[in-house]
Amino acid sequence: MNVALCLLVYGGVVALFGPSVLQRLTHSGAAPRLGVVAWLVAIVGALGSWLLAAGMLFVEFATYWHADVAVRVCVDALSIPMNEAASPTLRAVSFAMAAVVITGTGVVLWRAVRILLRMRRRTLEHARAVLLVGRSRPDLGAVVLDSPQPQAYCVAGRPDVIVVTSAALDALAPDQLTAVLAHERAHLRGRHAALTAFARGLATILPRVRLLTVGAEEINRLLEMCADDEAARRHGAEPLLGGLIALVGAATATPAHAMNAAATAVVARAERLVSPASGIRRATNGTALLGVITATMMGMLEVAAGLLICSWIFG
């Protein structure tokens, strides 16, 4: 049980201290792609450690009743098996702790599947509705909706859709429209909607875990900065900045499952476009993030080694 307890503690430490450390390193957006990776590694590391701990507890207590030699060898290699000679009270407490962890993990996984499937269904429905009521503009690579609010956003569907309202076409200059559309295409190419949905879904399932709630907000903000960087590289920072300013007033009306160019951290992103980080700052920030990513992943090496040993035994 020692490794399972260590995994529970490891996940708790990452969940407790991860948000403050990562916010400090990623808030400026000097290295947004590495920032997204760092948040995802921390989230997957914490949740994965808890999930592995639950699985190990299940296997360990299953071996208490019956197991062949190979399974017992794996359990002995990864943990301290339950002491069959322990007092009934200690054994009852151990079983109760394991039952709580395993049951809680099962409930969370069940809720996660339901929420993520529901979010995906709503996204696909919105994409289909847009294609039905909107006007396709092949020259723009987008669908135009008649609306008095200037908006531009993308929806990951089958197929993916970029939506521009008629008011946005009137409000944006040609170079601004081109930059905003490039921003939305960057989202679709990078599958940013899936990453955002994943983070938001986890935050909905476990709203008391700051690593998930803060992480969902930060990942969304950093992905917008990633799309900004690609659009600015292709079409310049000034047209993109002008487009964001022209669209920012109507951002609140965007569907929750869509990615809107002017719906997230517009002020911070505008500052990045006006005063981009220096090469030295990007390198320093990126090095720090790589260190955090490496340190976070180190906590999983013991379990990975143990699983490889078990695979070799059974193989």
Side-chain angles (χ1 to χ4, degrees):
M1 193 186 295
N2 61 329
V3 174
L5 292 177
C6 287
L7 284 170
L8 291 174
V9 173
Y10 163 78
V13 170
V14 173
L16 182 62
F17 297 105
S20 58
V21 173
L22 289 174
Q23 268 189 308
R24 191 175 299 113
L25 291 175
T26 63
H27 191 71
S28 66
R33 285 181 175 80
L34 271 179
V36 172
V37 173
W39 277 104
L40 290 176
V41 166
I43 290 171
V44 173
L47 296 182
S49 66
W50 292 337
L51 182 61
L52 284 173
M56 291 179 66
L57 286 172
F58 178 80
V59 171
E60 180 173 344
F61 282 95
T63 61
Y64 173 73
W65 299 109
H66 175 73
D68 57 25
V69 175
V71 173
R72 288 191 178 276
V73 169
C74 287
V75 172
D76 292 344
L78 293 173
S79 62
I80 300 174
M82 182 177 176
N83 185 2
E84 299 183 13
S87 66
T89 301
L90 180 58
R91 286 159 54 188
V93 171
S94 299
F95 273 116
M97 291 175 59
V100 169
V101 173
I102 295 169
T103 303
T105 302
V107 171
V108 169
L109 289 175
W110 177 70
R111 289 188 62 197
V113 171
R114 285 188 59 196
I115 290 175
L116 292 175
L117 287 177
R118 184 167 65 246
M119 293 174 65
R120 180 59 176 165
R121 185 174 62 253
R122 289 177 179 174
T123 300
L124 294 175
E125 288 174 353
H126 183 79
R128 286 194 292 267
V130 166
L131 291 173
L132 286 175
V133 302
R135 304 190 309 274
S136 178
R137 287 283 302 273
D139 57 321
L140 299 178
V143 173
V144 178
L145 291 180
D146 292 324
S147 172
Q149 295 180 324
Q151 294 180 348
Y153 60 90
C154 64
V155 181
R158 297 174 183 170
D160 299 334
V161 181
I162 295 177
V163 179
V164 182
T165 63
S166 55
L169 295 180
D170 295 335
L172 297 174
D175 59 343
Q176 294 173 347
L177 177 61
T178 301
V180 168
L181 292 176
H183 173 100
E184 300 303 335
R185 292 191 191 98
H187 279 316
L188 294 177
R189 279 195 299 269
R191 298 297 175 188
H192 294 173
L195 294 176
T196 302
F198 171 76
R200 287 176 176 170
L202 293 178
T204 302
I205 297 164
L206 297 171
R208 296 182 180 274
V209 180
R210 288 190 68 249
L211 178 66
L212 303 182
T213 55
V214 176
E217 295 175 0
E218 290 297 308
I219 287 173
N220 187 32
R221 189 174 64 88
L222 291 168
L223 289 175
E224 291 293 343
M225 292 179 178
C226 290
D228 285 344
D229 290 345
E230 185 167 340
R233 255 192 321 268
R234 293 173 178 269
H235 305 285
E238 186 175 346
L240 178 60
L241 180 59
L244 294 178
I245 294 173
L247 298 176
V248 69
T252 56
T254 307
H257 47 268
M259 301 201 71
N260 189 316
T264 304
V266 177
V267 174
R269 291 161 54 202
E271 292 176 351
R272 287 182 75 250
L273 292 172
V274 173
S275 302
S278 64
I280 294 177
R281 185 178 180 185
R282 289 197 299 270
T284 302
N285 193 263
T287 301
L289 286 171
L290 285 173
V292 170
I293 293 170
T294 302
T296 305
M297 294 179 66
M298 288 292 290
M300 305 298 290
L301 290 182
E302 180 182 356
V303 178
L307 293 176
L308 286 174
I309 293 173
C310 286
S311 300
W312 177 76
I313 292 175
F314 284 114

